[in-house]
Amino acid sequence: MEPRLARLLQVVIEEYIETAEPVGSQHLVDRYDLEVSSATVRNWCAELEASGHLMQPHTSGGRIPTEAGFREYVSLFVTPKVASKRERETLERAWQSSEEADRRFKALAKTLADLSGQAAIVGHGEADTFYTGLSQLFSQPEFRNWQQVVSLTEVLDRLDEALNAMRQTDIREPRILLGQECPFGPACAILVCAVPTGCIGILGPMRMEYTMVANLLHSTYQLIATP
């Protein structure tokens, strides 16, 4: 993708992640240093729309990213790094909160849900599965449609099956499954990594702060996997 379009895709998606609203060209010009006019931004948005990376929900409104747009954004701009010092210390306290493995994993899942603002899922051992933070997930604008909530809860009923499939691969760095790839439904995304005794994931809408969540999971893997 041309740098000018990649940069535009980046700011549209990051604005949409923040607001959950269609993004207008004039707003982008006012907020970001794009060094072009709003008319030029509209033309570039039309190019991204033609390539399938953006869509315009309403004729006279702004654009929102498509699943293909999110995939391109993740490919270009999301590289897991260590989380902030404060976040790492919070994760470490949760991990050291108990001598019992189940309690440690549950404390870690709750902390990940709190830090990310999403739902956290842990598959520990052969079949022990725990999830927390669903109220945060269901409060997202994407799930105001009751049918999407029903669909997601149906998948959560088969949570062990979904996590067992994820356990089959050695995912040391956070793997991002979004849209049609996400086992929890096309409106969702999950970042997941395997750990020595199981699997940990953070589940949210496709409109998610991927970099922040990837950093949390990256640091979680380092915490658990380091002797």
Side-chain angles (χ1 to χ4, degrees), residues 11 20-22 30-31 33 40 65 78 176 181 220 226:
V11 296
E21 298 288 343
D30 292 341
R31 182 169 183 181
D33 184 21
T40 298
V78 180
I176 301 173
E181 287 184 349
T220 299
T226 301

Side-chain angles (χ1 to χ4, degrees), residues 56-85:
Q56 193 171 24
H58 308 289
T59 305
S60 59
R63 266 82 170 187
I64 64 173
T66 63
E67 181 177 325
F70 276 114
R71 290 187 190 283
E72 188 73 13
Y73 172 80
V74 166
S75 172
L76 291 174
F77 301 110
V78 180
T79 302
K81 300 176 182 177
V82 295
S84 70
K85 181 180 178 182

Side-chain angles (χ1 to χ4, degrees), residues 170-224:
D170 182 19
I171 314 169
R172 299 191 181 187
E173 290 295 333
R175 181 180 175 190
I176 301 173
L177 304 173
L178 63 86
Q180 297 299 322
E181 287 184 349
C182 181
F184 298 95
C188 299
I190 185 169
L191 282 77
V192 61
C193 68
V195 294
T197 57
C199 184
I200 294 182
I202 297 178
L203 173 66
M206 196 155 46
R207 182 190 55 83
M208 185 195 296
E209 290 188 54
Y210 289 98
T211 296
M212 180 267 289
V213 174
N215 292 351
L216 287 174
L217 269 188
H218 175 77
S219 294
T220 299
Y221 175 83
Q222 288 186 325
L223 178 64
I224 296 174

Side-chain angles (χ1 to χ4, degrees), residues 4 17 61 64 83 94 108-109 138 144 148 152 165 168 176 209:
R4 63 184 175 87
I17 287 171
I64 64 173
L108 199 57
F138 290 157
R144 290 175 184 155
Q148 290 183 329
L152 183 60
Q168 303 307 312
I176 301 173
E209 290 188 54

